[in-house]
Amino acid sequence: MILAIADVLDAATAAAASRTLHGLPFRDGRETAGWEARRVKSNLQADARDAAAAVLKADLLARIAAHPLFGIAARPARPPRMLLSRYDEGMGYGAHMDDALMGGLRTDLSFTLFLSAPEDYAGGALVIESTAGEQEYRLPAGTMLLYPTTFLHRVAPVERGTRLVAVGWVQSLVRDAARREMLFDLETAREMLAGDAGRARERALIGRSIGNLLRMWAEP
């Protein structure tokens, strides 16, 4: 399941995050890439040792964790890992798959939180390869794309301007992507019944199924 989650940040918060990120010190993005991805990666990443970068990351992670769609789609087992990335003109990231393990974290899901507005840069689309072909994403500032880490993906070269994003990885309580999607559908169905007082029984049965499936599938 590939899920675009709107309004993780409102417009003002996304603009403020973008301004902060512009002013941070950056390092060569290849320093944090795996040995194979390093050959196709051309970007900059905020220096993790910088105090302002740490504050920005903590704020963004808190806002992501608080979004209800993220919770039911990802079902995180641990706090995600995050990098703050910058792509200037000519920079991009060739086709790759993110490392399966990062500092002891199993990467079940990846996400890109867009901080630059689409009109602020040209090119720079996130391209995800699936059995349906290639899908390109240039989403509004404050929107996050959540997708299984098993997909090959790339960032097309930036043709104009600067592309600013926060990228991260999640270890889920539910390792299997198909099972996560089933649980997401059940949660969505339960919420669709929330406004109908006469459907309390149906909501309870769906909730029972969600709970029992989590008992079967979750890996705390």
Side-chain angles (χ1 to χ4, degrees), residues 17 19-26 46-47 50-54 56 84 86:
R19 288 193 298 272
T20 300
L21 186 51
H22 262 294
L24 294 179
F26 286 86
D47 191 336
D50 183 74
L56 178 58
L84 302 170
R86 173 174 180 155

Side-chain angles (χ1 to χ4, degrees), residues 27-41:
R27 299 173 66 90
D28 189 333
R30 289 174 295 183
E31 293 179 5
T32 58
W35 69 270
E36 187 169 358
R38 192 176 297 122
R39 298 183 298 174
V40 295
K41 186 175 186 180

Side-chain angles (χ1 to χ4, degrees), residues 139-152:
L139 301 181
T143 299
M144 185 173 79
L145 194 74
L146 182 69
Y147 57 95
T149 308
T150 52
F151 288 138
L152 281 172

Side-chain angles (χ1 to χ4, degrees), residues 154-213:
R154 58 187 172 88
V155 177
V158 171
E159 300 166 7
R160 172 186 56 79
T162 297
R163 176 187 189 264
L164 297 173
V165 294
V167 298
W169 301 270
V170 184
Q171 179 172 324
S172 178
L173 289 168
V174 180
R175 184 192 302 241
D176 184 79
R179 291 175 175 177
R180 285 197 305 270
E181 186 167 355
M182 280 188 265
L183 288 165
F184 180 81
D185 288 344
L186 286 170
E187 290 279 12
T188 302
R190 180 164 64 168
E191 287 305 307
M192 291 171 67
L193 298 174
D196 189 342
R199 308 298 291 274
R201 174 67 175 171
E202 288 88 338
R203 278 178 52 82
L205 288 172
I206 293 173
R208 177 174 178 265
S209 294
I210 292 169
N212 287 334
L213 289 172

Side-chain angles (χ1 to χ4, degrees), residues 78-159:
R78 299 167 55 185
R81 290 175 62 92
M82 176 186 281
L83 295 172
L84 302 170
S85 297
R86 173 174 180 155
Y87 292 78
D88 291 325
E89 186 173 329
M91 292 182 175
Y93 200 160
H96 66 285
M97 190 171 74
D98 296 330
D99 288 345
L101 298 172
M102 295 185 183
L105 182 89
R106 188 186 69 236
T107 57
D108 299 317
L109 292 151
S110 300
F111 63 81
T112 297
L113 175 59
F114 292 80
L115 300 176
S116 297
E119 59 269 21
D120 291 342
Y121 63 101
L126 172 61
V127 184
I128 297 177
E129 299 180 23
S130 71
T131 54
E134 291 190 345
Q135 297 169 279
E136 296 189 2
Y137 299 90
R138 296 180 78 254
L139 301 181
T143 299
M144 185 173 79
L145 194 74
L146 182 69
Y147 57 95
T149 308
T150 52
F151 288 138
L152 281 172
H153 57 285
R154 58 187 172 88
V155 177
V158 171
E159 300 166 7

